[in-house]
Amino acid sequence: MRDKDVRAAVMRHLLILHCDDPSTRIVEEMGLWSGSVRVDVAVINGELSGIEIKSDRDTLDRLPLQERTYSRIFDQVTLVVGTKHVDRAYDMIPKWWGVTTARFVHDHVELTPCRPAQRNPAPDPILVAGLLWKEEALSALEERGLARGVRSKPVSAVHERLATELPFHELSACVRERLKRRSAWLGQAVSH
């Protein structure tokens, strides 16, 4: 069972789950931290949810960095893991992360939810704001009359202003709405 087999099963599941919800965007390989880290699948609607896939052919070597990053950004995270890694994976992720196992049954990948994802207890507002491109963040500040003094500053200053001026619930909603409006990430079309 390869990553692409598990990813196809995850995408089928998500597309069925959200097919009647025009307010949901599903993005594969969404870049975080200016694209230096990518989550396998992001689901953007009333929450920002991340899905990381670790098939039996993968290793868990990158999971600690991914856990630290995703735990500062996403409202919820689910690890979809092959049965080979499931026991070790539980020890590497926080209890609020969801876990789904993936196993090959006959000619397809079967996904079995083991632990539902819960709400992230401590997202980092600056990293959430950092999901936006500079123009998107500036636009959000301009709409609120808060862009003065940061228009020509580095993007990090724009993100910091956005994160410190908006209450987290407003920041989170603002970021999600702008991410849903994007037409592409890394040159790839975004699924509806």
Side-chain angles (χ1 to χ4, degrees):
M1 180 175 59
R2 298 165 301 182
D3 180 88
K4 74 177 194 171
D5 302 319
V6 179
R7 183 184 298 263
V10 167
M11 290 302 294
R12 274 192 306 275
H13 170 74
L14 291 173
L15 292 172
I16 291 167
L17 188 64
H18 299 289
C19 69
D20 293 329
D21 184 2
S23 70
T24 295
R25 298 292 302 267
I26 300 169
V27 182
E28 293 186 66
E29 297 292 330
M30 185 172 120
L32 314 170
W33 274 4
S34 302
S36 63
V37 177
R38 291 187 189 141
V39 67
D40 287 319
V41 181
V43 179
I44 310 163
N45 46 35
E47 292 187 326
L48 180 59
S49 301
I51 299 169
E52 183 59 30
I53 298 168
K54 299 294 183 193
S55 74
D56 283 338
R57 289 192 180 182
D58 289 324
T59 71
L60 300 182
D61 294 347
R62 293 183 313 150
L63 188 57
L65 171 62
Q66 292 165 325
E67 183 274 321
R68 287 191 300 274
T69 304
Y70 303 168
S71 291
R72 295 174 66 194
I73 294 173
F74 291 102
D75 296 318
Q76 292 188 347
V77 180
T78 298
L79 178 64
V80 179
V81 63
T83 54
K84 171 183 170 184
H85 298 303
V86 72
D87 291 333
R88 185 164 168 241
Y90 269 105
D91 294 333
M92 299 175 73
I93 59 173
K95 292 192 183 320
W96 61 268
W97 276 38
V99 177
T100 295
T101 58
R103 63 188 180 107
F104 210 70
V105 178
H106 304 295
D107 62 345
H108 69 282
V109 173
E110 183 177 279
L111 301 174
T112 304
C114 298
R115 180 171 78 188
Q118 298 174 11
R119 189 103 178 134
N120 183 346
D124 182 330
I126 291 177
L127 289 185
V128 172
L131 293 172
L132 297 181
W133 295 332
K134 185 175 183 179
E135 299 77 28
E136 294 168 327
L138 275 173
S139 171
L141 288 170
E142 287 168 355
E143 288 171 7
R144 293 162 175 81
L146 300 169
R148 186 181 190 122
V150 294
R151 287 183 185 92
S152 61
K153 300 275 186 192
V155 67
S156 60
V158 178
H159 290 149
E160 185 173 346
R161 170 76 58 89
L162 192 61
T164 56
E165 292 290 336
L166 274 60
F168 186 75
H169 71 279
E170 184 179 343
L171 170 68
S172 182
C174 170
V175 168
R176 289 191 316 269
E177 285 308 308
R178 280 168 169 71
L179 292 176
K180 286 194 282 187
R181 281 191 239 153
R182 275 189 192 165
S183 59
W185 270 273
L186 304 172
Q188 296 179 4
V190 178
S191 302
H192 291 273

